[in-house]
Amino acid sequence: YFFKNKAGGDSISIPRLTIGDLRFNSAGAEDDRSSVMNFDSNTGVTRTSFQGNIDSVDYAFRRALSFFDVVAYTGNGSNRTITHNLGVAPEMMWVKKRSGSNNWKTFHANLGGTKSMELNTTVEAETNGSALWNSTAPTASVFSLGSAGDVNSGSHTYIAMLFATVANVSKVGSFTQSGATNVACGFTGSTPAFIILKRTDAAGDWYLFDSERGIVAGNDPYLELNTSDAEVTNTDLVDPYSGGFATTSSLTNGDYIFYAIASIA
């Protein structure tokens, strides 16, 4: 589960497996969840009073075979594998140290097992060699870690969020922007309800769009996962496109990775 105040504020992530919450836009350690939100098995989530009345965008992800999984683990400082329950090879992973300050590290299949980016910064794809992912792509049962403290420091605790492509449901992919570009997601008779974009060949923000606020042939409100900025409402970066989405010439040319979830009729 994660949410963000449209007027500005942290991108707050609250996995059920953690004691506290994490901020996608921060390198900080895990915070006490009770100051933000509580889960209830019957009623869902309950906001705590410290937030007051805010106009936020909220997203709930369910752990589901082939679609999304969350894994909590403790580092050991040595090359290793971690078992997961996604059932397919993860195509995108977000990893965060919970017990200390450290940038979020991300894996994407289109970048490979030697590169990463940071969810809380604008950094372009960096070459890490074997330090993070042990130069190894994930499999349907495990993902690999190197010895770097970013993902595997001895005695520190971590959380990993795993994403994959499901036909007509979700798509993890990449594209090269050169003017307006059509991006196929394979969604039969559907356009995305949720899109994340990140430039990889140069610095760039993590853009987040959703159909609740509007993915239309005109200005599309978007948030940035890596900042505390308010939503941007006066720019047209993406448009509907049959089976996927289209970018406009307003999006800076370059190489991008993306994650999209289809609309459900």
Side-chain angles (χ1 to χ4, degrees):
Y1 189 93
F2 72 93
F3 69 95
K4 184 167 183 172
N5 185 351
K6 291 193 288 186
D10 290 327
S11 303
I12 301 177
S13 167
I14 310 177
R16 282 184 180 272
L17 296 184
T18 67
I19 297 173
D21 62 88
L22 295 160
R23 317 295 166 111
F24 289 139
N25 60 301
S26 171
E30 185 176 295
D31 293 327
D32 181 1
R33 170 183 295 165
S34 63
S35 67
V36 179
M37 182 177 292
N38 293 311
F39 283 107
D40 184 275
S41 59
N42 295 314
T43 61
V45 294
T46 302
R47 293 283 184 85
T48 51
S49 60
F50 104 100
Q51 295 176 79
N53 295 317
I54 65 172
D55 185 11
S56 68
V57 184
D58 296 48
Y59 306 94
F61 279 71
R62 179 182 179 182
R63 296 166 76 186
L65 194 65
S66 302
F67 171 68
F68 178 66
D69 192 25
V70 181
V71 179
Y73 65 93
T74 300
N76 68 4
S78 300
N79 294 346
R80 63 193 293 206
T81 59
I82 300 291
T83 300
H84 65 79
N85 294 304
L86 191 60
V88 296
E91 295 169 79
M92 183 171 69
M93 300 190 298
W94 300 349
V95 179
K96 178 69 178 74
K97 181 186 287 185
R98 297 167 53 197
S99 53
S101 181
N102 210 109
N103 290 327
W104 288 79
K105 294 298 181 179
T106 70
F107 166 89
H108 196 281
N110 294 104
L111 296 176
T114 62
K115 292 186 176 183
S116 71
M117 292 187 295
E118 296 170 350
L119 196 61
N120 58 299
T121 77
T122 62
V123 69
E124 64 185 276
E126 300 176 306
T127 299
N128 313 110
S130 61
L132 294 183
W133 320 122
N134 199 22
S135 301
T136 305
T139 72
S141 58
V142 301
F143 59 91
S144 295
L145 300 175
S147 59
D150 307 83
V151 296
N152 192 25
S153 179
S155 76
H156 276 284
T157 55
Y158 295 83
I159 195 81
M161 302 178 187
L162 285 57
F163 306 80
T165 296
V166 180
N168 289 317
V169 174
S170 61
K171 176 65 177 178
V172 180
S174 65
F175 65 93
T176 297
Q177 170 75 358
S178 180
T181 302
N182 293 333
V183 182
C185 297
F187 299 157
T188 303
S190 175
T191 57
F194 179 93
I195 304 170
I196 293 176
L197 300 179
K198 171 68 175 79
R199 190 170 178 186
T200 63
D201 62 333
D205 293 308
W206 291 80
Y207 297 136
L208 172 58
F209 306 85
D210 63 73
S211 59
E212 188 68 23
R213 291 174 298 143
I215 299 176
V216 297
N219 291 344
D220 313 281
Y222 68 84
L223 295 163
E224 297 167 347
L225 285 180
N226 57 290
T227 76
S228 59
D229 294 349
E231 72 173 349
V232 178
T233 60
N234 62 351
T235 305
D236 182 16
L237 296 181
V238 298
D239 287 336
Y241 169 68
S242 179
F245 62 94
T247 62
T248 74
S249 57
S250 296
L251 185 67
T252 305
N253 287 345
D255 296 328
Y256 288 80
I257 57 95
F258 72 90
Y259 178 65
I261 298 175
S263 299
I264 298 176

